[in-house]
Amino acid sequence: MARNRAGGMGKAADVIIVGAGILGLAHALAAARRGLKALVLDRDAQANGASVRNFGFVTVTGQQAGACWRRAMRSRDVWEEVAPQAGIEVLQHGLAVLARRAESAAVLEAFARTEMGAGCALLDGAEAARRFPDLARGAPRALLWSPHERRVESREAIPRLAAWLEATQGVAIRRNILVRGVDEAGVDTSAGRFAAPRIVVCPGDDFLTLFPERIAAQGVTKCKLHMLRLADPGFRLPAAVMSDLGLVRYLGYAELPQAEALRHVLLREQRAQLDNGVHLIVVQSADGSLVVGDSHHYGTTPDPFQPEAVDALILEEFRAALGIAPPPVIARWTGIYASAPDRLMFRDAPAPNIRLVMVTSGTGASTAFAIAEETLAELLGESA
Ligand SMILES: Cc1cc2nc3c(=O)[nH]c(=O)nc-3n(C[C@H](O)[C@H](O)[C@H](O)COP(=O)(O)OP(=O)(O)OC[C@H]3O[C@@H](n4cnc5c(N)ncnc54)[C@H](O)[C@@H]3O)c2cc1C
């Protein structure tokens, strides 16, 4: 038997997880809930990937109908259970989608009639202004109110989730360790060998270190996003906010037939935003500041630059949707996630006891907990 660093001869854990982003941590939680001892290995000294650069927006409404939407509903419930135990504040509940065109209002009307519209309310402009005056300064024609979403501050939530897993769930997390190879008996790392009967690899946007051929076979590329933090606007947003542009991007809306007419109008009126993959999400932090984004640029190695022109397109949409001048920008950053043209995630099985799991869309904060539960069920032989 191979010698390993954690226990001399023998296994280091029941399951080794590569990657301590939200997907790796979700797998650690799912393993712990099955009574398995998880060891998480990450090359970085602290969380630095997509999971701490995102909005912390656990999005349900607008996710693609079917598996993605169901995973988002389930993951939202897990966030709800775990957040108070881990000392993670849920800063916002719900989502308001502001439609300022007849075509976008038509998409919302169609959405509200689907199964996914259950629990949501569609308000006309007058009702929106009466109930949510701070959201209606841009005079929306319609407002879809969803109660399903949750929002956490990712840069605090991810470290707290990791600390809670270690303190209360028997999970060990080791950092500054690069995993260089995986086989059926364990992993080879920059800190030696660790053995375990099951291994889950959640490498985020690293396509080359582990299983590069298998990852390439999924047709993945990378997506770079621009993010902004704006100063406190002087009021509290009652929910996260999205706008017309999101209705041709989020598949739960964009796959509705009514989205086609909206796409035509946007191509005419907001071509620059569409060309830069710009849509609007606005969430609010505990100090009142707003996290606002984003844009989408694709490539094997996205450039590291954040052109002002793209940020201006995001801020233009902010002004149009919310009907206020954007408060001053107080921070800017970019993030990268794995992206595939035809799938939101994949789970591959390089061996019966190994799983390679990757979210290939901007949905990992919303779906990771459910994906991890499915992986554990598979590894334990409970699903086909
Ligand atoms: C700007 C931005 C906004 C987003 N907004 C949203 C949103 O609103 N809602 C939503 O649901 N999703 C959103 N997403 C997507 C979401 O953040 C990702 O889907 C999710 O974070 C992916 O999690 P992950 O754990 O796979 O990746 P990561 O967080 O990138 O973690 C991967 C980890 O693996 C480690 N690793 C990789 N290879 C190795 C190796 N060989 N050895 C050791 N360690 C390794 C890395 O160091 C890293 O820590 C957004 C993403 C970005 C970038």
Side-chain angles (χ1 to χ4, degrees):
M1 184 173 282
R3 176 172 291 277
N4 75 63
R5 300 284 300 222
M9 306 299 282
K11 68 178 184 178
D14 297 316
V15 54
I16 287 176
I17 297 161
V18 182
I22 186 59
L23 198 57
L25 296 179
H27 280 84
L29 175 63
R33 286 182 163 184
R34 303 299 198 118
L36 300 179
K37 189 154 179 41
L39 168 63
V40 182
L41 302 173
D42 198 290
R43 64 185 173 202
D44 280 328
Q46 61 176 24
N48 184 40
S51 303
V52 287
R53 293 166 185 249
N54 63 26
F55 295 92
F57 184 35
V58 182
T59 320
V60 175
T61 300
Q63 299 291 11
Q64 186 175 35
C68 187
W69 184 77
R70 284 195 299 276
R71 285 177 179 137
M73 285 292 256
R74 170 66 191 150
S75 297
R76 187 277 315 272
D77 290 346
V78 177
W79 273 110
E80 192 96 317
E81 287 165 33
V82 164
Q85 297 175 46
I88 297 169
E89 194 180 351
V90 176
L91 293 162
Q92 284 180 288
H93 291 74
L95 164 70
V97 186
L98 306 175
R100 60 181 187 278
R101 295 176 170 90
E103 293 81 1
S104 47
V107 175
L108 292 183
E109 278 163 28
F111 177 82
R113 290 194 295 270
T114 68
E115 177 200 6
M116 300 182 293
C120 300
L122 187 61
L123 314 181
D124 64 21
E127 182 71 356
R130 198 179 60 73
R131 285 185 52 187
F132 303 111
D134 285 331
L135 295 180
R137 293 185 173 98
R141 279 173 181 263
L143 183 157
L144 182 82
W145 178 266
S146 160
H148 301 309
E149 284 63 30
R150 300 290 181 270
R151 197 258 158 172
V152 299
E153 191 75 62
S154 291
R155 58 186 70 179
E156 293 165 10
I158 297 299
R160 282 184 192 173
L161 178 61
W164 174 77
L165 287 169
E166 287 199 278
T168 69
Q169 304 297 305
V171 174
I173 302 180
R174 303 244 347 237
R175 298 185 182 277
N176 292 310
I177 294 179
L178 175 71
V179 179
R180 289 196 279 241
V182 175
D183 57 56
E184 289 180 54
V187 298
D188 288 311
T189 82
S190 53
R193 182 161 175 88
F194 295 85
R198 301 169 199 86
I199 296 144
V200 181
V201 178
C202 305
D205 67 341
D206 183 327
F207 303 161
L208 294 176
T209 310
L210 300 169
F211 303 114
E213 294 87 1
R214 285 178 173 272
I215 293 174
Q218 303 288 338
V220 290
T221 187
K222 296 187 186 186
C223 178
K224 179 183 101 168
L225 297 85
H226 284 211
M227 300 285 284
L228 305 167
R229 187 178 288 275
L230 309 187
D232 184 350
F235 58 85
R236 302 302 298 188
L237 285 180
V241 173
M242 293 177 66
S243 73
D244 287 15
L245 290 171
L247 300 178
V248 294
R249 183 150 202 108
Y250 271 72
L251 296 175
Y253 315 113
E255 289 181 345
L256 294 168
Q258 290 78 0
E260 207 41 43
L262 176 61
R263 196 170 286 112
H264 282 302
V265 174
L266 292 173
L267 275 170
R268 209 170 50 237
E269 298 179 358
Q270 292 195 270
R271 182 67 199 237
Q273 272 92 353
L274 292 193
D275 286 349
N276 287 278
V278 167
H279 75 134
L280 187 73
I281 294 177
V282 185
V283 293
Q284 194 160 34
S285 294
D287 65 359
S289 64
L290 304 174
V291 177
V292 179
D294 50 21
S295 55
H296 297 79
H297 294 97
Y298 299 86
T300 310
T301 303
D303 72 50
F305 309 115
Q306 186 159 2
E308 183 63 29
V310 175
D311 292 356
L313 292 172
I314 297 170
L315 294 173
E316 195 179 297
E317 181 68 3
F318 177 100
R319 182 190 294 271
L322 283 162
I324 58 170
V329 177
I330 53 178
R332 299 172 199 265
W333 66 98
T334 59
I336 291 177
Y337 62 66
S339 173
D342 57 351
R343 65 203 70 188
L344 303 178
M345 59 81 62
F346 72 85
R347 185 187 297 108
D348 191 10
N353 65 334
I354 302 173
R355 291 295 179 279
L356 166 65
V357 191
M358 196 175 271
V359 176
T360 50
S361 58
T363 62
S366 310
T367 57
F369 286 123
I371 290 171
E373 289 176 349
E374 295 163 13
T375 307
L376 264 291
E378 246 190 59
L379 278 175
L380 297 175
E382 292 168 10
S383 56

